[in-house]
């Protein structure tokens, strides 16, 4: 509590000092160490549910500056990660799927590139692949977020100092229409050290130079495992963040962007427990930055936001009326992904009926098929058990619910989604979508010029506020001709 109070006082003092200086764009001091945390899919309900589950405030909710941020894209009210990340990284509204370019495909410089050009070190960390939409928007300029091969080459050519978290989706160009050669080999030729094991990663020191690192086990889509599926062999998002700080710390300052990408992925699948666990891990990553801030309060700025909400998470469910029982979520032991990829695959190989599946469901999700539902909330009602059995049969038949159906599972397994839905509803949580929504998100800040992040503003304004706080003109800057050629390919 004392640290929180000191941090709050620091922000208030910064505001007072800024008011002393001349009016206009002048600031009391430029931020030397800048942290930008983006919770992908992390809207207001994701933060509130995680706080309620813990029984106390998240560190990000205790920051002295708090704002509300709109997220719409240039061509759609409900945004996507590429358009939103481009706005957050450059201050430009763009279209769905565009990365680092405006609606006319003109490349825009990102805050990270501006920081690099000023001699600051730059780091990019994500719990999903480091060429995914959000991280890519800080160093790439391409027509479509799915151009992973081109994005991987942009990474290799970026000159940034530290990339870590998930892997690369298409460095060799196997999915590209015009392969450009092996991007990972180019990165090595450009001086990057590639590390793919925890021991080697934890041993990294600043003298090792530029680094690209990822976890040995990439669970899905070249991403880190969900937090609840991790073992001691895995590198967590807080560990990646802590190492980034160690590697980037220098007298000229640094810019570090950290994305909690699997918050979004869990919400797409309507898995509240996995989303909350990953939000808590994201908050712990922010705490690494806060520890650095405590040592450099007059030179550090930390900004935390979300790119959009995902899943239409509601903190209330008709079946529980006004009751909220978030502790029920602790009964879930594996994510929907691990249950689908491992448990169900193994079960299908061995064979078995629904009765054989029941004890597995109880072990992994805590849901019970016998007992007194009046005294034990984990006991299933008859209709819940019937829904689960129906989903089991569809799962065993390899069925996927298609987009035209009332419930859109997409590529998700029917049994996995039904189990998380039932558990979430017992906890008092509901979902309205398997996609993004257009509700605003929270933006939080602490440190140098943090007062600028109070109030209500758009996501592109987050970028310009960061620029101003770093002593740069608070406006979008278009990139050079060379970058324009990259965007046009």
């Amino acid at each position: 509590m004392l640290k929180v109070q000191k941090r709050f006082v620091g922000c208030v003092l910064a505001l007072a000092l800024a008011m002393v200086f001349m009016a206009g764009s002048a600031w009391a001091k430029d931020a030397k160490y800048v942290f930008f945390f983006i919770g992908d899919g992390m809207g207001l309900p994701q933060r509130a549910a995680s706080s309620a589950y813990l029984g106390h405030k998240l560190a990000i909710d205790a920051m002295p500056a708090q704002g509300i941020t709109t997220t719409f894209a240039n061509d759609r009210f409900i945004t996507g990660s590429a358009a939103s990340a481009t706005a957050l990284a450059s201050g430009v509204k763009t279209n769905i799927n565009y990365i680092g370019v405006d609606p006319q495909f003109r490349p825009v410089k990102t805050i990270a590139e501006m920081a690099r050009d000023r001699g600051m070190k730059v780091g990019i960390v994500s719990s999903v692949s480091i060429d995914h939409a959000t991280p890519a928007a800080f160093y790439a300029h391409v027509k479509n977020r799915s151009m992973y091969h081109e994005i991987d080459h942009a990474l290799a050519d970026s000159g940034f100092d530290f990339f870590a978290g998930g892997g690369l989706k298409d460095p060799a160009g196997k999915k590209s229409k015009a392969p450009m050669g092996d991007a990972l080999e180019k990165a090595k030729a450009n001086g990057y050290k590639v590390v793919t094991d925890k021991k080697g990663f934890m041993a990294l020191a600043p003298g090792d130079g530029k680094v690209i690192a990822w976890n040995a086990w990439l669970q899905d889509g070249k991403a880190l495992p969900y937090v609840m599926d991790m073992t001691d062999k895995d590198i967590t998002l807080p560990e990646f963040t802590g190492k980034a700080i160690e590697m980037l710390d220098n007298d000229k300052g640094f810019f570090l962007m950290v994305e909690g990408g699997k918050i979004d992925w869990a919400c797409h699948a309507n898995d509240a427990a996995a989303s909350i666990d990953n939000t808590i891990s994201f908050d712990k990553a922010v705490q690494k930055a806060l520890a650095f801030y405590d040592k450099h309060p007059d030179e550090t700025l930390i900004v935390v936001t979300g790119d959009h909400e995902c899943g239409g998470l509601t903190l209330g469910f008709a079946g529980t009326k006004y009751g909220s029982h978030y502790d029920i979520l602790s009964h879930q032991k594996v994510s929907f992904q691990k249950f689908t990829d491992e448990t169900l695959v193994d079960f299908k190989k061995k064979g078995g009926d629904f009765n054989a599946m029941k004890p597995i469901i109880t072990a992994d999700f805590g849901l019970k098929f016998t007992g007194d539902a009046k005294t034990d909330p984990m006991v299933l009602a008859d209709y819940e058990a019937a829904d689960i059995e129906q989903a089991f049969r569809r799962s065993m038949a390899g069925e996927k619910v298609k987009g035209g159906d009332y419930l859109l599972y997409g590529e998700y397994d029917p049994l996995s989604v039904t189990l998380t839905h039932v558990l979430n509803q017992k906890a008092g949580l509901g979902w309205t979508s398997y996609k993004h929504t257009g509700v605003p998100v929270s933006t939080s800040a602490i440190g140098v010029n943090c007062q600028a992040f109070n109030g209500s503003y758009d996501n592109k304004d987050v970028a310009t506020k960061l620029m101003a706080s770093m002593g740069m003109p608070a406006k979008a800057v278009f990139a050079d001709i060379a970058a324009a050629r990259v965007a046009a390919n």
Side-chain angles (χ1 to χ4, degrees):
M1 178 60 72
L2 182 59
K3 280 188 176 181
V4 172
Q5 291 174 338
K6 287 181 178 178
R7 290 167 182 165
F8 181 83
V9 169
C11 187
V12 172
L13 287 175
L15 174 60
L17 287 170
M19 293 174 67
V20 171
F21 282 74
M22 68 181 68
S25 61
W27 296 91
K29 190 174 183 179
D30 297 337
K32 179 178 178 181
Y33 306 109
V34 180
F35 295 86
F36 193 13
F37 289 87
I38 302 174
D40 200 310
M42 188 183 73
L44 291 160
Q46 282 76 13
R47 288 172 67 149
S50 299
S51 177
Y53 178 80
L54 286 172
H56 60 76
K57 273 189 175 183
L58 297 172
I60 57 179
D61 291 329
M63 288 182 172
Q66 298 288 338
I68 295 295
T69 305
T70 52
T71 65
F72 58 90
N74 178 67
D75 60 342
R76 197 173 75 191
F77 179 66
I78 298 178
T79 195
S81 292
S84 185
T86 296
L88 291 170
S90 65
V92 169
K93 282 288 185 184
T94 196
N95 295 348
I96 297 299
N97 292 328
Y98 291 13
I99 292 283
V101 295
D102 75 355
Q104 288 74 45
F105 296 120
R106 293 181 298 174
V108 286
K109 291 195 73 171
T110 73
I111 307 168
E113 291 169 333
M114 294 175 187
R116 174 202 61 198
D117 294 346
R118 297 181 72 187
M120 300 169 73
K121 288 192 173 184
V122 177
I124 303 292
V125 174
S126 177
S127 59
V128 296
S129 67
I130 49 177
D131 54 8
H132 217 253
T134 300
F138 284 83
Y139 61 82
H141 308 273
V142 296
K143 283 185 177 181
N144 195 292
R145 60 178 291 177
S146 64
M147 297 171 66
Y148 293 110
H149 181 59
E150 291 76 11
I151 291 170
D152 291 344
H153 274 273
L155 182 153
D157 289 330
S158 68
F160 292 0
D161 301 273
F162 188 86
F163 289 95
L168 299 174
K169 292 177 74 73
D170 193 22
K174 294 180 180 179
K175 299 178 181 179
S176 175
K177 295 180 180 178
M180 303 163 62
D182 193 315
L184 197 56
E185 290 304 315
K186 178 191 279 189
K188 292 176 182 178
N190 287 344
Y192 285 95
K193 180 177 182 177
V194 179
V195 181
T196 61
D197 68 288
K198 186 170 185 176
K199 183 177 180 181
F201 177 78
M202 299 308 290
L204 286 171
D208 288 320
K210 294 187 293 185
V211 170
I212 298 173
W214 58 75
N215 194 51
W217 175 32
L218 300 177
Q219 186 179 39
D220 54 336
K222 298 295 183 179
L224 299 185
Y226 286 97
V227 171
M228 63 171 55
D229 299 332
M230 284 184 164
T231 71
D232 292 340
K233 296 179 181 179
D234 296 304
I235 309 170
T236 67
L237 190 64
E239 288 172 333
F240 275 119
T241 304
K243 181 60 70 174
I245 295 170
E246 178 187 344
M247 298 292 286
L248 296 175
D249 191 8
N250 74 103
D251 291 339
K252 292 184 178 180
F254 62 76
F255 174 88
L256 174 61
M257 191 288 294
V258 179
E259 181 202 20
K262 297 205 79 169
I263 299 169
D264 176 70
W265 291 20
C267 290
H268 273 295
N270 290 179
D271 187 338
S275 173
I276 287 172
D277 275 356
N278 277 77
T279 302
I280 292 170
S281 179
F282 176 78
D283 193 63
K284 289 178 180 178
V286 176
Q287 290 174 43
K288 295 286 186 179
L290 287 169
F292 181 90
Y293 165 85
D294 287 335
K295 297 176 182 178
H296 308 275
D298 299 326
E299 300 175 294
T300 303
L301 172 64
I302 304 171
V303 177
V304 184
T305 194
D307 59 349
H308 52 71
E309 196 277 336
C310 184
L313 178 62
T314 62
L315 309 187
F317 175 67
T320 55
K321 298 180 181 179
Y322 287 104
S324 298
H325 314 286
Y326 295 164
D327 57 307
I328 282 176
L329 298 174
S330 65
H331 291 277
Q332 184 175 331
K333 305 304 180 186
V334 298
S335 72
F336 78 94
Q337 192 73 53
K338 186 172 183 178
F339 184 78
T340 300
D341 293 348
E342 298 182 24
T343 304
L344 286 181
V345 168
D346 184 62
F347 186 87
K348 288 177 182 179
K349 287 180 180 178
K350 294 178 179 178
D353 60 10
F354 185 57
N355 286 327
M357 175 55 70
K358 287 180 179 179
I360 297 173
I361 291 173
T362 301
D364 285 351
F365 293 89
L367 298 170
K368 301 175 182 178
F369 292 86
T370 59
D372 186 355
K374 293 182 179 179
T375 59
D376 186 349
M378 301 310 296
V379 175
L380 294 162
D382 290 343
Y383 74 90
E384 292 172 326
D387 286 346
I388 292 171
E389 183 172 5
Q390 182 185 38
F392 168 80
R393 299 189 187 287
R394 294 167 62 200
S395 178
M396 292 303 103
E399 184 180 340
K400 302 290 183 182
V401 177
K402 303 303 178 183
D405 293 338
Y406 176 69
L407 290 178
L408 174 59
Y409 294 126
E411 293 301 313
Y412 302 121
D413 175 80
L415 179 58
S416 300
V417 172
T418 300
L419 290 171
T420 56
H421 273 181
V422 170
L423 185 70
N424 295 173
Q425 289 165 2
K426 285 182 174 294
L429 295 169
W431 300 90
T432 67
S433 174
Y434 292 89
K435 304 293 183 183
H436 304 164
T437 69
V439 300
V441 300
S442 297
T443 298
S444 308
I446 187 171
V448 179
N449 303 322
C450 67
Q451 69 281 350
F453 296 89
N454 281 316
S456 178
Y457 42 87
D458 187 61
N459 58 2
K460 65 181 176 57
D461 300 323
V462 177
T464 54
K465 290 174 186 291
L466 275 165
M467 292 171 192
S469 297
M470 296 169 68
M472 299 183 288
K475 63 180 182 179
V477 177
F478 288 93
D480 58 23
I481 299 300
R485 290 196 191 101
V486 173
N489 289 333

